[in-house]
Amino acid sequence: MSEADCLFCKIVAGEIPAKIVHETDRTLAFRDVNPQAPTHVLVVPKEHYPDAAALAAADHGLADDVIKAAHAVAEQEGVAASGYRLVFNTGAEAGQTVFHVHGHVLGGRGLTWPPG
Ligand code: 5GP
Ligand code: ZN
């Protein structure tokens, strides 16, 4: 399942280049083009779902795979022990700009709370 005009479907298809850091049969992780922390990686399912709720509603374990892949990225980046933030911006007011679900793996510096 992919959408013709979806940026992240195009990255999954190899039509737009990205710095890929991790891949499984069902997920892809690549560096954010505008990093907000020393580690800023986006983890996506290869199938197109618009947001985290739609991914979870599909109920076939893919949401689990995305979260497991995010942790594998954090381990690979050396931030799993120190701590990292896994963010799924959902909807415009939360700052979602790409409507292909993606988890932001952020780490490598102290992250403040509450978020901006
Ligand atoms: P959102 O705002 O939807 O939660 O996150 C979208 C993220 O995608 C942003 O952090 C933005 O920097 C990143 N992004 C936008 N366009 C590209 C691109 O072409 N390549 C990569 N690697 N990241 C992108
Ligand atoms: Zn897509």
Side-chain angles (χ1 to χ4, degrees), residues 5 7 11 15 24 27 39 43 46 53 61 71 81 91 94 96 101 113:
D5 289 328
L7 176 63
I11 287 178
E15 294 167 6
T24 69
T27 69
T39 289
V43 183
K46 290 180 177 177
H71 188 66
Q96 187 176 6
V101 60
W113 193 264

Side-chain angles (χ1 to χ4, degrees), residues 96-109:
Q96 187 176 6
T97 58
V98 178
F99 287 83
H100 179 133
V101 60
H102 51 281
H104 296 253
V105 178
L106 294 151
R109 66 171 171 84

Side-chain angles (χ1 to χ4, degrees), residues 3-18:
E3 291 218 338
D5 289 328
C6 172
L7 176 63
F8 290 171
C9 282
K10 287 179 180 168
I11 287 178
V12 168
E15 294 167 6
I16 290 176

Side-chain angles (χ1 to χ4, degrees), residues 7-8 11 16-19 30-36 40 42 87-91 94-100 102-104:
L7 176 63
F8 290 171
I11 287 178
I16 290 176
K19 293 181 183 167
F30 49 90
R31 296 200 187 282
D32 196 293
V33 78
N34 182 24
Q36 301 301 311
H40 189 172
L42 304 174
V87 177
F88 292 88
N89 292 326
T90 304
Q96 187 176 6
T97 58
V98 178
F99 287 83
H100 179 133
H102 51 281
H104 296 253

Side-chain angles (χ1 to χ4, degrees), residues 57-85:
D59 195 23
H60 51 21
L62 188 51
D64 308 39
D65 283 6
V66 169
I67 293 171
K68 286 175 199 164
H71 188 66
V73 166
E75 287 187 320
Q76 192 175 294
E77 294 281 310
V79 300
S82 53
Y84 63 95
R85 192 166 290 168

